[in-house]
């Protein structure tokens, strides 16, 4: 695990921000045991600001104390993930609405190129499955990266810092968790189109190209909600 070194603003605030980001992004996975001293060493500070940061994270129920000096990253229940996913889906819809209004031709071209790459990777996955071969991990990650890149481009096109910040805070699954679960579902026999829903992204892109903000929001929200629903409780 690599955490950033801290500089001048309040060390407790910086420690809080760094640790919260590490939990949300999956760098500190759910259930991991953590210690004040271990985190302080990773951040390059004394235990005091880390102790204050952990108090704030305890209040948010992102970490829980297991002993006088030991803690762990809190496991998030299926209900909590479902509720976070509902919020995330609504915000994804808002991002698509804003993108329909603001996206530049260059941004739209990037979205199209990413979906072209996803289509190519999905075709290779189908060929491997039809031939009775194991799914190539690099192709699984390739299609995953392409569709995640598409969503990132939509967020960039939305061009709203508050929306982006809130989305990062409420995401029910980190990138690493989404990739792990998607790969497990694919290897269990699911299709890329069904699990990653890369085909739905074409409909969203068409709405963006048409500058149809209402339709873009509706499609993006439905897409995000169905994806979260499939991931919650999938314990592969």
């Amino acid at each position: 695990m690599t955490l950033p070194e801290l500089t001048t603003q309040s060390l407790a605030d910086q420690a809080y921000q760094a640790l919260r980001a590490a939990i949300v992004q999956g760098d500190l996975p759910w259930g991991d045991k953590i210690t004040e001293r271990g985190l302080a060493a990773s951040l390059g500070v004394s235990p005091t600001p880390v102790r204050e940061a952990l108090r704030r994270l305890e209040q948010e129920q992102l970490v829980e104390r297991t002993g006088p000096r030991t803690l762990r990253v809190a496991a998030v229940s299926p209900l909590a993930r479902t509720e976070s996913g509902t919020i995330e889906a609504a915000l994804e819809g808002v991002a698509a609405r804003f993108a329909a209004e603001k996206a530049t031709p260059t941004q739209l071209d990037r979205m199209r190129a990413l979906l072209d790459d996803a289509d190519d990777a999905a075709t290779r996955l189908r060929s491997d499955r039809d031939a009775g071969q194991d799914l190539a991990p690099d192709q699984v990650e390739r299609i995953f990266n392409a569709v995640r890149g598409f969503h990132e481009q939509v967020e960039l096109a939305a061009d709203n810092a508050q929306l982006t910040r809130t989305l990062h805070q409420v995401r029910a699954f980190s990138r690493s968790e989404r990739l792990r679960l998607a790969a497990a579902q694919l290897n269990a026999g699911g299709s890329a189109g069904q699990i990653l829903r890369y085909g739905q992204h074409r409909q969203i892109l068409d709405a963006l190209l048409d500058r149809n903000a209402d339709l873009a929001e509706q499609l993006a929200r439905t897409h995000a909600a169905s994806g979260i629903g499939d991931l919650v409780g999938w314990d592969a």
Side-chain angles (χ1 to χ4, degrees):
M1 178 186 66
T2 302
L3 295 174
E5 289 192 5
L6 306 184
T7 54
T8 53
Q9 78 178 78
S10 164
L11 289 179
D13 286 342
Q14 288 189 77
Y16 165 78
Q17 292 166 9
L19 293 174
R20 195 184 196 287
I23 292 170
V24 171
Q25 294 166 9
D27 297 326
L28 288 173
W30 297 338
D32 259 22
K33 294 179 180 179
I34 53 177
T35 65
E36 293 176 1
R37 289 193 177 279
L39 295 174
S42 295
L43 292 168
V45 296
S46 73
T48 301
V50 171
R51 189 175 303 121
E52 176 59 31
L54 289 173
R55 287 197 192 101
R56 293 171 64 180
L57 293 169
E58 277 189 85
Q59 292 173 352
E60 294 183 29
Q61 298 182 329
L62 289 175
V63 301
E64 53 193 15
R65 195 163 292 278
T66 56
R69 296 186 180 181
T70 58
L71 305 97
R72 68 183 171 200
V73 180
V76 182
S77 70
L79 175 60
R81 282 185 278 174
T82 298
E83 291 175 345
S84 293
T86 300
I87 299 169
E88 179 183 346
L91 293 173
E92 293 269 10
V94 174
R97 168 175 287 278
F98 290 171
E101 298 166 350
K102 300 179 184 177
T104 67
T106 298
Q107 289 171 326
L108 293 168
D109 285 343
R110 287 174 185 156
M111 294 178 203
R112 185 184 292 107
L114 286 162
L115 296 187
D116 288 344
D117 193 44
D119 285 342
D120 184 66
T123 298
R124 296 193 183 200
L125 289 177
R126 282 195 297 270
S127 297
D128 288 345
R129 176 160 287 160
D130 291 344
Q133 299 174 357
D134 292 336
L135 299 183
D138 61 328
Q139 293 303 315
V140 173
E141 187 161 6
R142 179 183 168 198
I143 187 173
F144 179 86
N145 287 339
V147 296
R148 291 310 305 161
F150 174 84
H151 286 294
E152 289 166 3
Q153 286 298 316
V154 172
E155 287 178 35
L156 285 172
D159 192 24
N160 186 288
Q162 182 178 4
L163 174 64
T164 299
R165 184 167 56 250
T166 308
L167 260 172
H168 289 173
Q169 290 175 339
V170 304
R171 284 210 157 103
F173 291 85
S174 70
R175 181 193 178 282
S176 60
E177 288 162 341
R178 290 174 194 260
L179 175 57
R180 178 181 65 81
L181 292 171
Q185 289 173 320
L186 285 167
N187 284 315
S191 70
Q194 179 185 40
I195 294 167
L196 296 172
R197 289 179 170 79
Y198 65 88
Q200 293 179 1
H201 297 83
R202 291 287 182 187
Q203 297 175 317
I204 297 171
L205 178 59
D206 287 343
L208 297 178
L209 290 166
D210 291 340
R211 303 295 178 181
N212 189 332
D214 289 340
L215 181 58
E217 179 175 2
Q218 176 189 344
L219 290 170
R221 183 169 185 163
T222 300
H223 167 77
S226 61
I228 290 291
D230 282 352
L231 290 174
V232 169
W234 211 93
D235 293 323

